[in-house]
């Protein structure tokens, strides 16, 4: 547990200089917000580890068994990756960064906390994971509706995708890994295409068609794939997750998740 905590702290410390390389008030504000949330989450993880060691005498992260420490650890890791309802820092932080650092924050920085969630998931309360998943998918869909800033749209998209990953983690962990891989691939494509077209607002995307038609077409296809439009790659994990949820006798949950996918797709289609 101590090594896991130390790894997460090193990961946080490593990205802060990248965030503050632009000496700009927004970047410094983003770095401060990020640092405070990550430090809070790390303190919660350490507290959960100590609680587990106190109650069960076990320090190993895969052997964590006490409901209190499992719940605390999951909530702390949810705060680390930006799952709803602990998502408030993510859009603000991402908006204050440049596209390259935003790409690292949206992809690479999610891996370490997710590896820990993956290990703890079998011992976690199923209802907690489903609640986090549904809330994240709903907020990821609703939050992006009135946004004009591309980075904020990508932040809400990240929240929604993480919700899809968390909801299936208890039932079929391999599907979560597939979703994570495709999410990283599609998000990287989006950030890099925005970087190439130097676009940070929705209206600046409208002018890219006249400059570079192939890049504009690729951006549009990537956005629709990220939203989960049927013939494209992004639809596959959503389809498989809905299928698995129905098999697990959770039709209402599957219906809610399908509706939230429509919310996300609506603002991508704009």
């Amino acid at each position: 547990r101590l090594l896991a905590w130390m790894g997460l702290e090193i990961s946080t410390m490593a990205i802060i200089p990248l965030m503050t390389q632009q000496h700009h008030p927004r970047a410094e504000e983003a770095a401060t917000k990020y640092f405070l949330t990550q430090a809070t989450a790390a303190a919660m993880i350490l507290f959960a580890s100590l609680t587990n060691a106190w109650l069960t005498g076990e320090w190993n992260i895969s052997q964590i068994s006490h409901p209190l420490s499992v719940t605390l650890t999951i909530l702390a890791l949810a705060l680390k990756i930006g799952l709803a309802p602990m998502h408030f820092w993510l859009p603000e932080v991402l908006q204050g960064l440049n596209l390259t650092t935003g790409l690292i924050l949206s992809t690479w920085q999610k891996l370490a906390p997710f590896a820990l969630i993956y290990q703890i998931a079998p011992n976690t309360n199923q209802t907690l994971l489903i609640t986090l998943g549904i809330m994240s998918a709903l907020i990821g869909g609703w939050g992006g509706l009135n946004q004009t800033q591309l980075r904020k749209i990508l932040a809400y998209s990240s929240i929604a995708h993480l919700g899809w990953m968390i909801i299936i983690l208890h039932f079929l962990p391999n599907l979560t890994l597939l979703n994570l891989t495709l999410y990283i691939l599609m998000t990287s494509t989006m950030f890099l295409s925005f970087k190439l077209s130097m676009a940070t607002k929705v209206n600046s995307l409208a002018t890219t068609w006249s400059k570079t038609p192939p890049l504009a077409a690729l951006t549009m296809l990537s956005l629709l794939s990220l939203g989960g439009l049927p013939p494209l790659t992004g639809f596959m994990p959503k389809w498989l997750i809905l299928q698995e949820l129905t098999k697990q006798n959770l039709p209402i949950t599957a219906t809610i998740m399908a509706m939230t996918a429509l919310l996300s797709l609506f603002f991508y289609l704009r």
Side-chain angles (χ1 to χ4, degrees):
R1 295 301 288 263
L2 281 169
L3 284 173
W5 169 78
M6 203 184 301
L8 290 170
E9 283 293 279
I10 292 168
S11 165
T12 304
M13 291 300 176
I15 199 171
I16 297 233
L18 288 174
M19 288 179 163
T20 52
Q21 64 185 351
Q22 290 179 310
H23 295 293
H24 189 274
R26 282 304 295 268
E28 283 163 20
E29 183 190 341
T32 310
K33 281 179 180 171
Y34 181 75
F35 174 74
L36 290 173
T37 47
Q38 299 297 309
T40 308
M44 275 174 74
I45 290 168
L46 207 52
F47 176 65
S49 309
L50 287 167
T51 310
N52 194 60
W54 183 273
L55 295 168
T56 63
E58 184 59 65
W59 277 100
N60 194 335
I61 203 156
S62 54
Q63 302 296 323
I64 184 170
S65 55
H66 198 276
L68 174 66
S69 31
V70 172
T71 308
L72 268 173
T73 309
I74 285 288
L75 290 175
L77 291 167
L79 176 61
K80 264 201 172 292
I81 57 175
L83 274 171
M86 285 81 77
H87 67 284
F88 293 98
W89 62 272
L90 186 58
E92 296 297 319
V93 168
L94 209 56
Q95 183 57 35
L97 305 176
N98 62 23
L99 289 167
T100 316
T101 317
L103 167 63
I104 297 168
L105 185 71
S106 301
T107 54
W108 183 255
Q109 289 298 103
K110 300 266 190 275
L111 293 177
F114 222 94
L116 297 178
I117 292 176
Y118 186 84
Q119 287 178 56
I120 299 164
N123 305 327
T124 311
N125 182 353
Q126 181 184 315
T127 317
L128 174 67
L129 291 180
I130 289 174
T131 309
L132 285 172
I134 290 175
M135 284 185 76
S136 298
L138 276 169
I139 286 167
W142 266 321
L145 286 177
N146 60 349
Q147 296 298 338
T148 55
Q149 295 284 348
L150 293 174
R151 282 165 293 188
K152 278 197 175 175
I153 288 179
L154 284 169
Y156 282 110
S157 144
S158 165
I159 295 164
H161 276 272
L162 288 168
W164 281 87
M165 289 176 221
I166 284 291
I167 204 160
I168 204 67
L169 189 53
H170 198 85
F171 308 111
L172 208 63
N174 290 346
L175 204 47
T176 299
L177 292 182
L178 170 73
N179 202 337
L180 182 64
T181 311
L182 288 174
Y183 160 75
I184 287 174
L185 201 67
M186 292 186 297
T187 305
S188 304
T189 310
M190 283 319 319
F191 269 103
L192 294 171
S193 54
F194 288 157
K195 191 173 164 61
L196 278 172
S197 55
M198 290 185 287
T200 53
K201 287 198 176 87
V202 172
N203 56 8
S204 56
L205 273 183
T207 58
T208 55
W209 184 257
S210 53
K211 295 180 203 163
T212 48
L215 183 63
L218 175 74
T219 306
M220 187 190 75
L221 281 171
S222 308
L223 264 173
L224 293 179
S225 182
L226 201 59
L229 195 69
L232 300 164
T233 319
F235 174 63
M236 180 177 64
K238 285 189 168 69
W239 179 33
L240 293 171
I241 288 170
L242 290 174
Q243 195 179 358
E244 185 61 31
L245 285 172
T246 316
K247 279 184 194 167
Q248 297 288 345
N249 288 330
L250 292 166
I252 297 167
T253 307
T255 311
I256 295 169
M257 292 304 281
M259 293 299 177
T260 60
L262 291 176
L263 274 175
S264 298
L265 197 55
F266 174 74
F267 68 76
Y268 285 127
L269 280 168
R270 276 192 324 182

